[in-house]
């Protein structure tokens, strides 16, 4: 069993850390704001005063924080991981952040004597709770092999994509596909509803044909039942699509569908929906149609 530092105990991070403790690993954390959640403390997680202190007490460090600046602060900032990094420590960043800064952070960590893999995840809160996440890994083969037993505690499908940053590239691609599929499901169900069909039966029929998808299954049900508690927040998906569009510009690449989905998410945010589940994209389409699914 390993001594693991885990920084980032949010909607996703808390159940992920819980699985690691259930598997017998010893966990330590740094909480920037507030105190350690009671269920984590009851499982035996230790809290220290800084990310540096986490590094000093860990052989493996996992970060699961919202955005690129958050990872940079935790790893490289004042009192950060790099200041307490022991030789050979493996840093696993499971956040969803920009690929190029990931490569730069990987170099800083490896130059300081550590190892680094980027390992962003897909599967949402349900995947985290059920230890069924899809994990996309970038880094050297040996570092991937070292990380794999830990990742297997939290995920079901774990793929080594390539070198540093490749996991983040894969995650951006994932978020493009997810956003456009949610939008497609929303448009299809909205069309069926406004045309007068029983939208629940339409969804049931579609799940048996070529249009079937996990998104139509899970998020289609959310749209029909009006359950928009996250899940995965719209503001976080906006962040991921910003990464996609910024990267596309640097590659001289046009992603019109992605840009359109981002505008629909922005319409949700403008209507106090930044913290809705991303299935809430249907609400922006409903406003344009002056019709709510199921009404």
């Amino acid at each position: 069993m390993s001594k693991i530092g885990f920084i980032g105990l949010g909607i996703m991070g808390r159940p992920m850390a819980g699985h690691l403790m259930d598997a017998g690993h010893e966990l330590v954390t740094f909480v920037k704001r507030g105190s350690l959640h009671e269920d984590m403390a009851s499982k035996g997680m230790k809290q220290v005063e800084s990310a540096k202190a986490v590094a000093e007490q860990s052989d493996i460090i996992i970060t699961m924080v919202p955005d690129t600046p958050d990872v940079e602060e935790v790893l490289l900032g004042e009192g950060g991981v790099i200041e307490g990094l022991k030789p050979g420590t493996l840093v696993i960043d499971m956040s969803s952040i920009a690929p190029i800064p990931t490569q730069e952070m990987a170099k800083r960590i490896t130059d300081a004597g550590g190892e680094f893999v980027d390992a962003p995840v897909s599967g949402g809160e349900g995947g985290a709770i059920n230890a069924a996440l899809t994990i996309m890994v970038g880094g050297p083969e040996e570092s991937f092999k070292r990380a794999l037993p830990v990742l297997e505690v939290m995920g079901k499908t774990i793929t080594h994509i390539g070198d540093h940053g490749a996991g983040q590239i894969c995650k951006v691609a994932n978020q493009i596909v997810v956003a456009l599929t949610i939008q497609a499901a929303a448009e299809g169900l909205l069309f069926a509803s406004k045309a007068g069909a029983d939208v629940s039966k339409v969804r049931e029929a579609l799940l048996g044909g070529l249009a079937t998808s996990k998104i139509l299954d899970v998020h289609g049900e959310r749209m029909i039942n009006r359950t928009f508690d996250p899940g995965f927040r719209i503001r976080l998906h906006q962040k991921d699509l910003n990464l996609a569009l910024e990267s596309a510009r640097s590659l001289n690449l046009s992603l019109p569908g992605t840009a359109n989905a981002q505008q629909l998410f922005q319409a949700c945010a403008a209507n106090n929906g930044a913290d809705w589940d991303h299935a809430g994209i249907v609400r922006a389409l409903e406003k344009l149609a002056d019709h709510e699914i199921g009404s």
Side-chain angles (χ1 to χ4, degrees):
M1 296 298 103
S2 301
K3 292 184 177 180
I4 299 176
F6 199 112
I7 302 174
L9 299 172
I11 287 175
M12 302 282 288
R14 199 159 75 234
M16 292 163 67
H19 293 312
L20 291 170
M21 286 187 285
D22 290 342
H25 296 288
E26 181 182 335
L27 263 65
V28 59
T29 190
F30 160 62
V31 180
K32 185 176 180 180
R33 298 180 184 88
S35 57
L36 184 61
H37 199 276
E38 185 177 331
D39 65 341
M40 294 287 98
S42 67
K43 282 177 175 283
M45 179 176 272
K46 180 181 177 183
Q47 182 177 358
V48 293
E49 71 281 0
S50 67
K52 174 184 176 182
V54 169
E56 290 170 342
Q57 299 183 36
S58 305
D59 303 313
I60 296 172
I61 299 165
I62 297 172
T63 51
M64 185 62 176
V65 295
D67 205 349
T68 306
D70 303 298
V71 180
E72 290 174 333
E73 180 182 359
V74 166
L75 295 184
L76 307 178
E78 184 178 352
V81 162
I82 199 166
E83 294 183 5
L85 194 71
K86 298 181 295 186
T89 299
L90 173 63
V91 176
I92 306 172
D93 177 37
M94 304 188 76
S95 318
S96 295
I97 64 170
I100 291 175
T102 290
Q103 294 167 344
E104 295 167 352
M105 285 185 275
K107 185 177 188 305
R108 290 280 303 275
I109 293 296
T110 54
D111 286 349
E115 296 182 59
F116 185 97
V117 297
D118 47 292
V121 305
S122 180
E125 183 182 11
I129 290 170
N130 295 313
L133 292 168
T134 294
I135 305 176
M136 302 151 261
V137 187
E141 180 72 25
E142 288 306 310
S143 298
F144 168 70
K145 289 179 179 177
R146 185 178 169 195
L148 186 57
V150 172
L151 299 178
E152 286 175 332
V153 175
M154 299 176 283
K156 186 175 181 181
T157 303
I158 302 162
T159 307
H160 185 207
I161 306 298
D163 208 347
H164 292 135
Q168 297 295 352
I169 292 169
C170 184
K171 178 59 189 289
V172 170
N174 178 84
Q175 295 304 81
I176 292 170
V177 173
V178 169
L180 270 63
T181 308
I182 294 175
Q183 180 182 334
E187 291 189 12
L189 295 178
L190 180 60
F191 165 79
S193 177
K194 189 153 189 180
D198 183 326
V199 73
S200 295
K201 291 184 189 260
V202 168
R203 172 179 163 273
E204 181 182 343
L206 295 178
L207 287 171
L210 189 59
T212 190
S213 69
K214 186 173 182 180
I215 284 170
L216 180 62
D217 183 12
V218 175
H219 292 306
E221 185 175 40
R222 283 179 176 267
M223 294 171 194
I224 294 168
N225 292 340
R226 321 307 294 170
T227 51
F228 297 115
D229 294 336
F232 187 76
R233 300 178 194 276
I234 279 175
R235 60 180 170 83
L236 294 178
H237 210 145
Q238 284 185 286
K239 178 261 297 183
D240 293 339
L241 294 192
N242 281 338
L243 294 177
L245 294 169
E246 289 166 5
S247 299
R249 279 192 291 273
S250 71
L251 295 168
N252 198 27
L253 176 67
S254 176
L255 298 177
T258 304
N260 189 60
Q262 181 70 305
Q263 287 300 306
L264 290 170
F265 281 140
Q266 183 56 41
C268 292
N271 285 274
N272 300 312
D275 286 320
W276 295 340
D277 183 84
H278 50 177
I281 198 171
V282 72
R283 287 180 160 179
L285 292 163
E286 288 171 338
K287 278 189 172 290
L288 293 172
D290 192 25
H291 177 84
E292 185 177 294
I293 284 178
S295 63

